[in-house]
Amino acid sequence: MLLRPGERGIAGELCDCNLGAGKVQGKLYLTDQRILYELHESPGIFQPGRVITHIDLGLQEIRNISVVSQLIGGPRLQLEIRGNHCTFTVQDPRGWATAIAHARAAVPPPAPFLHVPPPPPPPPPGGGFTPVVVNVAPASATSHTVERQVVKVRCRHCGRLSDELPGKCSGCGAPL
């Protein structure tokens, strides 16, 4: 597991996980920002293994943390992530549940949604002139305003409005 800048590892344990498609053995990690579950594959003695990350989620994406009792094998840690239940066979499921809950409480809530202004209105139908104002500030204290007119031409092939100067349609590339 690679820690991100400013991230701190809290716990890690080799355990079994039931991901819905069967039980697999890997390593469960908890950091102060996220939870990870990785599988370590070893294809052979003289070949390097590879790490497959099955779970890599921010702590706020965990919907529910619980310890479930099983008839066979004792209690297990269960996490609800995006509507799916992942069950981990760890040594101390209650300790893991407490550690995850404390780490989640320390994570700041997501930033509020920022309003993005709407795009400018479309050009007038049928082409026409659209004034463009460019402010040019020379080294002196006075400023000058230069006004240009940009001609928009409708493409004969796709019907999109494009600037006249490039000589080709910005949508399909056909000559104007």
Side-chain angles (χ1 to χ4, degrees):
M1 174 194 63
L2 294 174
L3 292 175
R4 296 176 181 159
E7 188 174 28
R8 182 179 56 88
I10 296 174
E13 184 177 333
L14 188 65
C15 64
D16 290 335
C17 175
N18 189 347
L19 294 169
K23 189 184 287 188
V24 291
Q25 187 174 35
K27 192 152 187 184
L28 181 65
Y29 296 100
L30 174 65
T31 73
D32 59 348
Q33 298 175 9
R34 59 193 173 128
I35 192 159
L36 296 101
Y37 187 71
E38 296 178 340
L39 301 179
H40 298 270
E41 285 188 347
S42 179
I45 297 174
F46 299 108
Q47 297 175 341
R50 65 183 185 148
V51 176
I52 301 170
T53 303
H54 274 277
I55 297 173
D56 184 354
L57 297 170
L59 295 176
Q60 298 301 334
E61 294 183 62
I62 300 172
R63 295 288 165 239
N64 190 22
I65 308 163
S66 58
V67 176
V68 294
S69 296
Q70 303 282 328
L71 293 175
I72 300 173
R76 294 192 170 107
L77 174 69
Q78 187 173 45
L79 303 177
E80 183 183 344
I81 304 168
R82 297 182 183 155
N84 297 316
H85 293 278
C86 302
T87 306
F88 300 93
T89 307
V90 292
Q91 294 294 325
D92 181 15
R94 286 174 182 74
W96 271 89
T98 303
I100 294 169
H102 287 320
R104 281 182 67 197
V107 173
F113 178 74
L114 299 176
H115 175 69
V116 177
F129 296 101
T130 305
V132 176
V133 177
V134 179
N135 290 328
V136 179
S140 66
T142 62
S143 65
H144 299 282
T145 301
V146 177
E147 186 174 315
R148 297 185 313 157
Q149 292 187 346
V150 178
V151 177
K152 299 276 186 175
V153 179
R154 189 168 300 278
C155 176
R156 294 180 299 232
H157 299 281
C158 70
R160 184 174 183 165
L161 287 174
S162 299
D163 291 339
E164 179 187 42
L165 291 180
K168 61 181 183 177
C169 177
S170 61
C172 68
L176 295 175

